[in-house]
């Protein structure tokens, strides 16, 4: 029932596949959540295979950073042309599918515009702002990115040093990077591509510090692409991976921007400098929960890819005899090899389920918010924090096991495994440093423990944590 | 007593260094094993710093593979010129010291010639062969590398597919790669640089297979650098790291080489095809032990470098407040940060000691061999196998902890940490795949256990394993 068997495959691989006891298409349907999604994915993949101009002229591992970026820019033009043909209704899932085939996981020139720029406009611009910015953004009349982390500040957001000081006389903000450590550092697609930026700066008005807020700022001339006066922007250099993405740095030297450059769907600043705080101050945490659930799912898939490569390789790699004189066997026959690889397959599925479950909880939370309830947020924050930390860490260890299980060939980029590791390992740091996230969950559990010890069950306990307060020891966590 | 304090350093770093309770030069002397070595190292380093033509024009991480190789070739010429000046007596340790400053750890064009080609001639050529080959090798009249691993065979050396069939009529060997999997794969400096090669092939003579033996073969024209007839040679492409080294592949199509191309210090083949086996058939294992002890030492130093970078960064990186309102603190103040980094410092020293101890045991073994005793070899093999496997694995985990402890900046190659990881992690595979080595040690221990259970103490027990057979439970392993 293995639907992957093809003529011309390595016979050892076919032999293994013949042993399959289930229909691989049924499993693929479960993975892609519906048969329609799965079929559509195959359709798009076949289309991609047939159109060479969507491919890389040579493996990107042979290119330097500038060639990688140029190649990605060329592919972006082809991508837009072919999207019109194969996805005329612009279905976002289908577009994402084609994106993953064309650009792999090393980034592309408008990635941050798509995943951070546009969503920030959607979630943070008021109606008037959205009416002005969104059509242009969708039409790529500008390319934007998102700048929060600074050279000196990542985890402790409240101490960001970039400031936006309001001047009520001219109704403008003065954006400034007062120190070297205030330099925005890391934004993807900033070094070479973007001409607009969502910048997070501490809002100062009437002598008061209102903390970090997002602003929408032009940084480059639309014609010459030169940086605008007062803006210093450049490249932060090569990284462990994701080198097709031009991560950059940015400094402002007292740059004046209009009052309406501040995103005003949530917090607002009136012309006289009066600050109006947002209604749902905790909504930002909700977004973090969502991003972490997505991270868990993405990580599960990296591990699944590594396990697939490693399992297939182990089927066709013969080395050593188990019974002397009987000939060499596939390394998959060795217990130690199985012990290395098979748990990674199981983990990939388990983490896939974790990602889906957290996303479901997030959707329930969103529904609750609409009814004015946000009390499940601490539980959701704790569970998504610990899952993100544990899954990213275990996935990286798992990919390394898969890589080492391929021996020397796992060290060659031809295996794809060094790239998967270097890609996944970034996840231990971004979207909340793992050690910090583990402590967030620990703090939540210690709070729960104190409440249990005092026999003080909170007035409303979320279904996630309910079992902790139950006298029935057979009751288990709902996850 | 910290001798590293300099004007202009980050004041936070100076503050930490002022707390030092010992003389850092004394520790450095212990590390470099003598004050003379340590002083000489500083001298060479200062010389290196003063001579810009020995430096990279830009960080190599910005170069593509071809630029890296060209830059290394340029530096090699400068290196030879400056070696004559600063190391006129060509002291090998001093040359190695300068090499490490000039070429870092990413390889250089004659690295394999130096560490494998020349030593193979020294250890495997008979007097006549050595008289012919060695002066030319030392004088770089040719550049050689070492080809053992094949596309299809690494661990199971006995099944190498490259064959050298002896033809007594012409007194020649016919070198052949009968299958695709017989292709030599991985030799460093093979793809572009080398024109000679030490190739390991199964020796067939008079219808008998005598197993793998080394041969010395010219593969490229000395003038045009084109590959010779019957030789196919090329590049295996980019790797996780060490991309300045041009790892290559090689196939022979029935290439005839003279009988005396076989290294004949140990095994010999007479003109009529009679095979004369080596006297010490286990000497090859001894070399493996040596290489593994060196690997342990090198790994210890990679971890020491990572721990140094990470500790210094943690001193100057401020993030978050421990007591609210008291200002941000160095991340080194956090327990979790210390727990991540400090054990790596301890491990680096422990592994440094392991490497030295194993090397000492190897030297004792060599002395024993000269007196006809090789019975310590199984113990030495077991201890060096398990140390190599455990140390490479733990060092990689440790480097990753150091890297992650630097947050986002640890993902940038500017930190040097991604490079250290990608470099060190090769050590889990080369010179004996870790899982295989762990099983080698396990097999040794199971044998010991069986002997203990039967109360059969071997006639001579090595000092390493003696405690296993002692009734005195307070007796400990000598290591």
């Amino acid at each position: 029932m293995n639907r992957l068997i093809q003529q011309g495959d390595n016979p050892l691989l076919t032999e293994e596949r013949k042993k399959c006891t289930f229909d691989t298409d049924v499993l693929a349907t479960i993975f892609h959540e519906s048969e329609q999604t799965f079929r559509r994915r195959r359709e798009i993949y076949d289309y991609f295979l047939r159109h060479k101009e969507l491919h890389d002229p040579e493996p990107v591992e042979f290119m330097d950073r500038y060639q990688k970026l140029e190649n990605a820019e060329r592919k972006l033009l082809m991508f837009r042309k072919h999207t019109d043909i194969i996805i005329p209704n612009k279905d976002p899932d289908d577009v994402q599918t084609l994106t993953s085939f064309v650009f792999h996981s090393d980034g592309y020139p408008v990635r941050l515009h798509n995943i951070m720029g546009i969503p920030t406009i959607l979630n943070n611009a008021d109606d008037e702002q959205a009416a002005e910015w969104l059509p242009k953004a969708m039409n790529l009349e500008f390319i934007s990115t998102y700048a929060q982390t600074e050279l000196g500040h990542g985890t402790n957001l409240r101490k960001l040093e970039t400031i936006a000081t309001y001047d009520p006389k001219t109704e403008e903000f003065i954006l400034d990077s007062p120190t070297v450590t205030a330099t925005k550092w890391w934004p993807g697609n900033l070094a070479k591509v973007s001409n607009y930026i969502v910048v997070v700066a501490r809002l100062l008005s009437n002598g008061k510090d209102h903390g970090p807020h997002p602003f929408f700022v032009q940084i480059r001339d639309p014609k010459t692409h030169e940086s605008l006066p007062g803006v210093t922007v450049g490249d932060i250099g090569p990284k462990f991976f994701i080198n097709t993405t031009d991560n950059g740095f940015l400094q402002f030297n007292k740059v004046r921007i209009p009052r309406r450059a501040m995103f005003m769907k949530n917090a607002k600043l009136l012309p006289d400098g009066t600050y109006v705080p947002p209604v749902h101050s905790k909504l930002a945490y909700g977004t973090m929960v969502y991003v972490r659930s997505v991270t868990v799912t993405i990580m599960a898939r990296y591990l699944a890819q590594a396990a697939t490569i490693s399992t297939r390789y182990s089927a066709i790699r013969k080395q050593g005899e188990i019974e002397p004189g009987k000939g060499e066997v596939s390394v998959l026959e060795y217990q130690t090899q199985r012990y290395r690889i098979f748990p990674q397959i199981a983990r990939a599925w388990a983490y896939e389920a974790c990602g889906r479950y957290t996303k479901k909880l997030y959707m329930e939370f969103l529904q609750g918010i609409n009814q004015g309830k946000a009390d499940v947020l601490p539980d959701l924050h704790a569970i998504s924090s610990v899952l993100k930390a544990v899954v990213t860490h275990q996935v990286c260890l798992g990919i390394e096991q898969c890589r080492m299980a391929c021996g020397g060939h796992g060290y060659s980029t031809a295996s794809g495994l060094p790239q998967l590791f270097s890609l996944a390992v970034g996840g231990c740091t971004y979207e909340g440093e793992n050690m910090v996230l583990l402590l967030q969950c620990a703090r939540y559990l210690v709070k729960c423990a104190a409440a249990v010890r005092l026999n003080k069950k909170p007035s409303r306990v979320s279904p996630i944590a309910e079992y902790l307060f139950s006298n029935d020891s057979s009751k288990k966590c709902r996850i």
Side-chain angles (χ1 to χ4, degrees), chain A:
Chain A
M1 296 294 264
N2 190 314
R3 313 268 183 167
L4 298 166
I5 294 172
Q6 286 186 334
Q7 280 232 318
D9 279 349
N10 187 307
L12 291 166
L13 200 56
T14 305
E15 198 181 299
E16 287 294 335
R17 283 181 168 152
K18 279 189 180 155
K19 297 179 194 161
C20 183
T21 55
F22 57 88
D23 185 332
T24 51
D25 275 3
V26 171
L27 191 68
T29 301
I30 295 171
F31 186 77
H32 294 296
E33 298 190 66
S34 85
E35 195 176 330
Q36 195 195 345
T37 313
F38 159 58
R39 297 271 166 226
R40 183 72 178 123
R41 188 181 166 84
R42 288 242 169 124
E43 233 172 73
I44 295 174
Y45 187 60
D46 288 341
Y47 181 91
F48 164 73
L49 284 185
R50 286 197 310 274
H51 293 85
K52 299 289 178 201
E53 59 189 13
L54 289 169
H55 303 186
D56 299 313
E58 64 174 341
V60 293
E61 288 77 10
F62 285 80
M63 303 178 185
D64 70 15
R65 290 172 66 223
Y66 305 100
Q67 291 167 329
K68 280 179 186 168
L69 198 57
E70 274 178 30
N71 177 50
E73 283 161 357
R74 179 193 61 76
K75 286 196 296 184
L76 182 62
L77 292 179
M78 295 303 114
F79 173 84
R80 286 169 66 82
K81 172 182 138 190
H82 286 283
T83 303
D84 289 344
I85 301 167
I86 180 77
I87 316 169
N89 69 352
K90 302 281 185 299
D91 177 87
D93 288 342
D94 288 353
V95 171
Q96 180 48 41
T97 299
L98 184 59
T99 303
S100 72
F101 295 142
V102 176
F103 297 108
H104 324 298
S105 46
D106 203 41
Y108 55 95
V110 297
R111 179 161 184 268
L112 272 291
H113 181 71
N114 286 346
I115 68 167
M116 291 299 291
I118 293 176
T120 305
I121 297 174
L122 280 169
N123 296 325
N124 294 279
D126 63 26
D127 292 345
E128 192 188 305
Q129 291 173 324
E132 188 188 339
W133 298 336
L134 204 53
K136 291 180 185 170
M138 302 301 279
N139 207 25
L140 281 191
E141 287 175 42
F142 59 79
I143 300 174
S144 63
T145 182
Y146 184 91
Q148 177 175 301
T149 299
E150 295 172 356
L151 186 58
H153 280 92
T155 295
N156 192 15
L157 196 57
R158 277 177 298 181
K159 290 278 179 179
L160 285 180
E161 295 179 77
T162 305
I163 45 173
T165 311
Y166 186 63
D167 177 357
K169 285 197 296 287
T170 60
E171 296 192 12
E172 286 172 321
F173 292 102
I174 306 159
L175 267 180
D176 199 41
S177 315
T179 61
V180 172
T181 48
T183 309
K184 291 294 175 188
W185 201 265
W186 282 111
N189 303 142
L190 170 62
K192 300 288 173 199
V193 175
S194 300
N195 50 9
Y196 276 72
I197 196 163
V198 177
V199 65
V200 178
R202 269 168 37 231
L203 165 56
L204 307 181
S205 180
N206 294 335
K208 226 188 137 187
D209 184 342
H210 298 285
H213 285 75
F215 299 82
F216 192 57
V217 187
Q218 184 178 351
I219 54 167
R220 282 183 168 116
D221 185 286
K223 290 227 173 67
T224 65
H225 207 58
E226 292 288 323
S227 56
L228 295 182
V231 173
T232 307
V233 55
D235 174 30
I236 65 163
K239 296 141 289 174
F240 209 162
F241 196 62
I242 323 184
N243 283 309
T244 303
T245 301
D246 52 318
N247 296 70
F249 68 84
L250 179 78
Q251 290 176 326
F252 293 108
N253 183 9
K254 301 192 172 48
V255 172
R256 286 186 169 259
I257 56 171
R259 182 181 65 95
R260 293 287 292 158
M262 174 180 161
F263 283 93
M264 292 209 189
K265 181 177 181 181
N266 303 307
K268 286 173 188 53
L269 198 82
L270 305 183
D272 67 351
T274 306
Y275 179 74
V276 184
V279 182
H280 292 303
S281 66
K282 283 179 176 168
L283 255 180
Y285 285 97
T287 308
M288 277 199 256
V289 168
Y290 179 72
V291 172
R292 281 169 198 161
S293 80
V294 172
T295 302
V296 166
T297 301
I298 291 173
M299 288 286 151
R301 290 169 184 203
Y302 293 156
L303 183 57
Q305 287 174 40
T308 304
I309 294 167
S310 186
T311 307
R312 289 180 183 168
Y313 175 78
S314 301
I316 65 161
R317 171 76 172 186
K318 289 197 164 193
Q319 199 80 177
E321 298 179 323
I322 290 180
E323 290 182 62
K326 292 260 168 110
E328 293 197 290
V329 298
S330 295
V331 292
L332 201 55
E333 298 303 314
Y334 291 98
Q335 278 184 336
T336 47
Q337 190 79 352
R338 295 176 179 199
Y339 187 73
R340 277 192 138 161
I341 301 172
F342 292 177
Q344 314 314 334
I345 302 175
R347 281 196 183 100
W349 278 102
Y351 300 157
E352 177 75 26
C354 288
R356 286 183 197 185
Y357 185 78
T358 323
K359 195 172 161 188
K360 183 169 151 274
L361 287 179
Y362 173 72
M363 295 305 172
E364 288 173 13
F365 156 74
L366 276 193
Q367 287 176 348
I369 278 272
N370 291 338
Q371 297 154 27
K373 288 190 290 185
D375 50 357
V376 75
L377 194 58
D379 312 74
L380 201 49
H381 175 62
I383 199 83
S384 67
S385 297
V386 75
L387 274 179
K388 185 270 186 186
V390 169
V391 169
T392 52
H393 183 64
Q394 290 291 337
V395 161
C396 293
L397 293 179
I399 293 173
E400 255 302 283
Q401 284 300 325
C402 293
R403 197 189 63 70
M404 290 190 288
C406 295
H409 295 306
Y411 197 75
S412 164
T413 59
S415 71
L417 293 165
Q419 298 95 306
L420 271 173
F421 178 82
S422 318
L423 172 65
V425 86
C428 296
T429 304
Y430 62 64
E431 298 304 337
E433 200 279 323
N434 276 1
M435 195 67 89
V436 174
L437 292 189
L438 290 173
L439 290 172
Q440 298 276 323
C441 180
R443 175 197 297 229
Y444 166 84
L445 288 174
V446 168
K447 264 192 197 171
C448 286
V452 169
R453 207 180 297 116
L454 297 169
N455 207 13
K456 273 193 185 167
K457 188 172 168 174
S459 56
R460 189 189 167 279
V461 183
S462 83
I464 303 168
E466 206 172 13
Y467 78 110
L468 291 171
F469 296 93
S470 166
N471 290 325
D472 177 2
S473 66
S474 72
K475 214 161 174 188
K476 290 197 174 120
C477 178
R478 247 190 52 183
I479 291 197

